[in-house]
């Protein structure tokens, strides 16, 4: 399942998702929408973490920044959601540049804790700047998206739109990952000093990775806002950043397919565990821990290992 | 003035709890390189082992505190065996998520065991107040400061005056070299986790009477302990103490003199400023980009 070709990946997403949209019932469709939106954020986060190796625990703040920007522009300023969408993504990316430039001098767990602090600060501001954000009540009555009279107003229709965005994002991400820029990011991740030696502008690459992840997170945020039609601070607290990170690790870091699989799996997993009643979250934590211990390279890594093993066995049987 | 003294002492008491939580976090980090995102849940577990022993079982406080701390010792060993050992060869980020997963397990297990209603864990000095220059201070707040000071002294003695502590420091400095010198590295690492769990346990028991015992109390504590660690200096024991006190004082003084809604933001702004201007914190870590 290592999709390297951008167009092929987009096609697979559209066909698979489209088929699912026809067979699933309403509640499952809602979950699928949530996982598609998360997948966009996680694909973005993969630039920062999977490729450039930046341990950021603040991606939910960028998603929230996008969602709140759209919510405020459409409700308080009365903008069209499409225009607000573009502006929200641009504003989120700018915000990431301004915040990221000083923070990206930090490394490893320093960066992790700084971005965690950033995410907590975002929640505090969203909760307390009541005049702008509505405080804990959040912002409701966010208008939905529609195109030429076709309103994406139920779960199935929204899914078609979300899948389209996901397909485009995945294609862009795969193309970038296998380009010069993607390789530069990986070089920075693997050895910063060596990367600098061969003439890579490390700071610029890091900021580019963060901006890309913020742009994807911003898109996820505006989709979230137009899907839920409501935003509130707790939707973007730091626990969500950790879930995004967990999605990427469970799926397989450094891979777009892994990001999507992780997002879908971790969105549906709590639902599959509903039969456990109140114990399901404790069980969810346990599953996560077991995956980390026994599948350190994620599900994509497992697939690769199985394929390599199969190849080896095939070689051995045909001398 | 009386108001200020009262705030100051309460800030010191809260800061002491943060300092103990940060101390456990730092001891583990220096010895194992693990950034323990379950540190807050360790403290919550401490409070709830107190609840289990003294509220649910009704043990008298000297026995109850002892039993609660023994439970934390057992927890520390369990954590070492079931989480640290299997994950120790993994990359930093996997370990981070692993500790987060443990935090989720602990928080929800506590929710299953104790329910979402907060408990009241009383202090042995319940209702006793002190009068200092017109300021009314609960004896529990004063006790918290004293207990922390004594513990800090004991930890200093452990690390600098006993063979055990010196061994733990040797492991923290260079695990391989310590192994070559014939130290039982696994035992020392296990002791490190136990010590961290006990410190968190004491922090939890001291915090119980100040806040309500609530299964969701772990996250806010963890965030303050992280801020304290950054402000004091990652991996530095005196830094954890100074950072804890700074965060506790900032929280209470800031809530009263600046804005109670933004009291937590003040601590994080101070933390981010430290990261940008002096990432090594007040006391500084020797190796800067470890991990």
């Amino acid at each position: 399942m290592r999709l390297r070709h951008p167009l092929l990946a987009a096609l697979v997403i559209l066909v698979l998702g489209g088929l699912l949209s026809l067979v699933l019932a309403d509640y499952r469709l809602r979950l699928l929408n949530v996982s598609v939106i998360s997948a966009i954020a996680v694909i973005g986060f993969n630039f920062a973490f999977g490729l450039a190796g930046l341990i950021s625990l603040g991606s939910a703040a960028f998603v929230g920044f996008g969602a709140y920007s759209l919510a405020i522009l459409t409700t308080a300023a009365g903008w069209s959601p499409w225009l607000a969408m573009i502006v929200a993504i641009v504003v989120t990316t700018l915000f990431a540049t301004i915040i990221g430039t000083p923070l990206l001098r930090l490394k490893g767990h320093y960066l992790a804790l700084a971005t965690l602090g950033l995410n907590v600060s975002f929640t505090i501001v969203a909760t307390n700047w009541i005049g702008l954000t509505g405080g804990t009540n959040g912002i409701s009555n966010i208008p939905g998206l529609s195109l030429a009279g076709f309103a994406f107003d139920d779960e199935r229709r929204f899914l078609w739109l979300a899948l389209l965005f996901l397909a485009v994002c995945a294609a862009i991400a795969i193309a970038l990952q296998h380009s010069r820029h993607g390789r530069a990011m990986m070089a920075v991740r693997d050895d910063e000093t060596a990367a600098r030696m061969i003439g890579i502008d490390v700071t610029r690459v890091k900021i580019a990775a963060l901006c890309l992840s913020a742009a994807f997170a911003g898109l996820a945020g505006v989709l979230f806002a137009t899907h839920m039609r409501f935003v509130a601070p707790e939707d973007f607290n730091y626990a969500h950043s950790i879930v995004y990170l967990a999605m990427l690790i469970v799926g397989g870091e450094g891979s777009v397919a892994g990001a999507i699989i992780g997002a879908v799996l971790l969105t549906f997993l709590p639902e599959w565990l509903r039969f456990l009643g109140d114990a399901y979250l404790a069980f969810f934590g346990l599953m996560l821990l077991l995956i980390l211990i026994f599948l350190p390279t994620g599900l994509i890594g497992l697939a690769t290992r199985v394929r390599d093993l199969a190849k080896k066995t095939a070689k051995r049987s045909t001398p | 003035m009386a108001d200020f003294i009262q705030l100051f002492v309460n800030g010191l008491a809260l800061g002491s709890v943060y300092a103990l939580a940060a101390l456990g976090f730092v001891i583990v980090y220096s010895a194992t390189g693990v950034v323990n995102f379950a540190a807050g849940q360790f403290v919550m577990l401490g409070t709830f082992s107190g609840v289990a022993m003294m509220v649910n079982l009704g043990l008298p406080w000297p026995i109850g505190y002892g039993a609660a701390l023994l439970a934390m010792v057992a927890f520390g060993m369990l954590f070492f065996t079931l989480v640290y050992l299997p994950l120790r060869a993994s990359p930093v980020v996997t370990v981070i998520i692993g500790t987060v997963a443990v935090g989720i397990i602990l928080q929800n297990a506590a929710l299953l065991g104790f329910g979402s209603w907060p408990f009241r864990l009383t202090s042995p000095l319940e209702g006793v107040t002190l009068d200092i220059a017109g300021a009314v201070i609960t004896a529990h707040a004063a006790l918290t400061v004293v207990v922390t000071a004594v513990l800090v002294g004991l930890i200093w003695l452990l690390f600098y005056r006993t063979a055990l502590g010196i061994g733990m420091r040797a492991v923290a400095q260079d695990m391989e070299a310590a192994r070559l010198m014939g130290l039982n590295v696994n035992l020392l690492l296990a002791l490190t986790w136990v010590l961290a769990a006990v410190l968190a346990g004491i922090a939890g028991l001291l915090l119980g009477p100040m806040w309500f015992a609530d299964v969701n109390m772990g996250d806010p504590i963890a965030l303050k302990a992280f801020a304290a660690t950054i402000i004091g200096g990652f991996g530095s024991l005196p830094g954890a103490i100074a950072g804890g006190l700074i965060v506790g004082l900032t929280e209470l003084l800031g809530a009263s003199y600046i804005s109670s809604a933004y009291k937590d933001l003040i601590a994080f702004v101070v933390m981010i400023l430290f990261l940008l201007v002096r990432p090594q914190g007040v006391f500084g870590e020797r190796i800067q980009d470890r991990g």
Side-chain angles (χ1 to χ4, degrees), chain B residues 137-213:
Chain B
I137 292 153
T138 63
H140 181 78
L143 175 79
T144 303
V145 178
V146 173
V147 168
T148 305
V150 170
L151 273 174
V152 167
L154 287 177
I155 288 172
W156 185 84
L157 280 179
L158 171 74
F159 277 129
Y160 291 92
R161 288 289 178 271
T162 68
L164 197 67
I166 293 169
M168 286 163 88
R169 278 170 54 219
V171 172
Q173 232 164 45
D174 189 333
M175 215 178 275
E176 274 317 302
R179 199 188 309 273
L180 288 173
M181 299 303 288
L183 290 174
N184 186 343
V185 171
N186 268 349
L187 180 72
L188 291 168
L189 286 174
L191 281 177
T192 306
W193 279 104
V194 168
L195 183 61
V198 169
L199 283 176
I202 297 173
L205 291 172
L206 289 170
L207 189 66
M210 286 191 226
W211 294 1
F212 281 100

Side-chain angles (χ1 to χ4, degrees), chain A residues 150-168:
Chain A
F150 185 87
F152 301 100
D153 52 0
D154 68 7
E155 295 294 342
R156 186 164 288 117
R157 290 175 166 199
F158 189 88
L159 182 59
W160 293 337
L161 181 72
L163 281 171
L164 203 63
F165 277 110
L166 177 65
V168 172

Side-chain angles (χ1 to χ4, degrees), chain B residues 40-123:
Chain B
Q41 309 305 344
F42 278 36
V43 175
M44 180 275 295
L45 208 62
T47 306
F48 274 88
S49 36
V51 168
M53 301 304 170
M54 285 174 284
V55 180
N56 293 3
L57 292 179
L59 296 176
W61 70 265
I63 303 171
Y65 277 101
L69 291 179
L70 274 182
M72 291 308 287
V73 170
F75 168 72
M77 291 203 275
L78 264 178
F79 187 94
F80 169 76
T81 324
L82 298 181
V83 183
Y84 173 72
L85 281 184
L87 278 181
R88 71 163 151 186
S90 310
V92 177
V93 97
T94 310
V95 181
I96 289 181
I97 299 296
T99 59
V100 169
V102 172
I104 296 174
I105 299 171
L106 291 177
Q107 187 177 354
N108 289 287
L111 186 66
L112 282 176
F114 294 93
S116 53
W117 279 100
F119 284 83
R120 180 103 177 87
L121 183 66
T122 52
S123 162

Side-chain angles (χ1 to χ4, degrees), chain A residues 105 107 109-110 113-114 238, chain B residues 29 219 234 275-276 285 290:
Chain A
R105 285 185 306 164
K107 286 176 197 163
H109 50 252
Y110 287 94
L113 288 175
Y238 82 94
Chain B
Y29 171 74
D219 282 344
F234 226 93
L275 277 169
L276 296 180
E285 182 189 34
R290 237 167 94 159

